[in-house]
Amino acid sequence: MKSSEQRLVIGFLGGMGTYATIHAFKQYAEVFDAAKEWERPRIIIDNRCTMPSRVRAFLYNENVELLVSEMTESVDNLIKAGCSKIILACNTSHLFLPQIYDKMPEAREYIVDIIKMCADQAAGDHMKKIYLLASEGTIESRIYQETLKAKSIKCSVPAEAEYGNLRKCIEAVKQNTYSDQIETIFLNLVNREECGCILGCTELPVLYEKYRDKVRCKNIYDPVKQALIKIKEDYGDG
């Protein structure tokens, strides 16, 4: 058993959206499987669903200052609460990490960059080509494409005309409302490339779990789950 000073405490900045955060909490319980509850690391979740839209902040420069301020405040609160590592449960929110670090440089030591971690995993798996499903903000920012390119991995994305279908999938999870149409749209997207697919929006792994028996893609990358696995490996038994 590690001392209280050394023990792992995981922080989640969630609410982006809430059902994705619930799913991430479920993944935490699965990754840190335990015979007794006290064998798991402590987890602290700030489900800050009142924050402005990350996608609109990037695409339209809408409420950027407020968003960065609220994200920074939440990170600061999680650190003060004793968190060792912090996961932002939203891929698009990572576009604002530079502004967060400008306001709070020490946050670099705590925040787990799930996008870089996902690219590292894909490179470790010797992937040469991968398909990205994400919000239009994440896709248009090219944050995944450039991070993967630096590791000699070619990244393809849906056409702009398909952004509407991506939004339908994401909103279905946010509203916890599913239909045959959503199933068809998601499976058409995720099964397009057999080589590998990054679920680069935290709502999409919820759909993957729901329809996984019909998913043909061989390598599915869920950045939040991979971050949890890496944290577990780094900290041992927590």
Side-chain angles (χ1 to χ4, degrees):
M1 183 71 69
K2 296 182 180 179
S3 69
S4 59
E5 290 80 14
Q6 295 173 314
R7 296 201 69 184
L8 170 64
V9 179
I10 300 172
F12 263 101
L13 176 48
M16 307 177 278
T18 296
Y19 283 100
T21 304
I22 292 170
H23 181 70
F25 184 43
K26 179 174 177 285
Q27 289 178 315
Y28 144 82
E30 292 170 350
V31 169
F32 291 91
D33 56 331
K36 302 294 183 182
E37 284 295 333
W38 56 79
E39 294 173 352
R40 289 191 173 94
R42 182 181 178 188
I43 184 167
I44 301 172
I45 299 174
D46 181 353
N47 198 65
R48 195 159 185 167
C49 49
T50 54
M51 286 190 293
S53 166
R54 282 66 55 201
V55 173
R56 295 188 66 84
F58 173 75
L59 292 177
Y60 310 117
N61 202 36
E62 182 178 289
N63 293 319
V64 174
E65 186 175 345
L66 177 61
L67 173 62
V68 172
S69 176
E70 292 193 358
M71 288 177 64
T72 305
E73 181 184 63
S74 284
V75 169
D76 186 38
N77 288 339
L78 288 169
I79 292 171
K80 288 176 178 175
C83 292
S84 317
K85 290 295 178 183
I86 296 170
I87 295 175
L88 308 183
C90 170
N91 288 260
T92 310
S93 69
H94 287 66
L95 302 179
F96 304 96
L97 282 181
Q99 292 99 310
I100 291 173
Y101 295 150
D102 283 345
K103 295 173 74 72
M104 190 180 180
E106 63 271 27
R108 289 180 183 272
E109 301 176 22
Y110 297 89
I111 294 175
V112 177
D113 189 326
I114 65 173
I115 293 173
K116 288 182 179 178
M117 192 165 287
C118 184
D120 287 343
Q121 182 62 51
D125 292 340
H126 307 291
M127 300 295 292
K128 298 299 181 185
K129 181 181 177 184
I130 205 160
Y131 188 60
L132 170 68
L133 297 180
S135 72
E136 58 195 275
T138 298
I139 292 173
E140 289 295 317
S141 75
R142 295 191 57 80
I143 188 170
Y144 265 108
Q145 294 95 311
E146 296 303 322
T147 304
L148 290 161
K149 182 179 179 181
K151 295 184 177 295
S152 301
I153 301 173
K154 182 179 179 181
C155 179
S156 57
V157 299
E160 185 175 348
E162 296 181 285
Y163 288 173
N165 280 339
L166 281 166
R167 284 195 297 271
K168 286 179 182 178
C169 288
I170 294 168
E171 286 302 315
V173 178
K174 286 181 179 291
Q175 301 298 325
N176 196 33
T177 304
Y178 305 98
S179 65
D180 291 343
Q181 181 193 36
I182 293 300
E183 178 181 0
T184 299
I185 291 172
F186 176 72
L187 290 174
N188 177 60
L189 288 166
V190 78
N191 287 328
R192 189 164 301 173
E193 298 282 349
E194 291 189 1
C195 57
C197 180
I198 295 174
L199 303 178
C201 174
T202 48
E203 271 73 33
L204 297 179
V206 179
L207 292 177
Y208 171 69
E209 290 296 332
K210 191 174 182 65
Y211 306 124
R212 66 182 305 163
D213 290 345
K214 298 179 182 179
V215 173
R216 298 190 305 273
C217 183
K218 297 175 182 177
N219 297 288
I220 296 292
Y221 290 86
D222 176 350
V224 169
K225 186 172 184 179
Q226 288 172 331
L228 287 167
I229 292 170
K230 184 64 165 59
I231 289 171
K232 183 179 181 181
E233 291 173 350
D234 288 348
Y235 277 80
D237 63 8

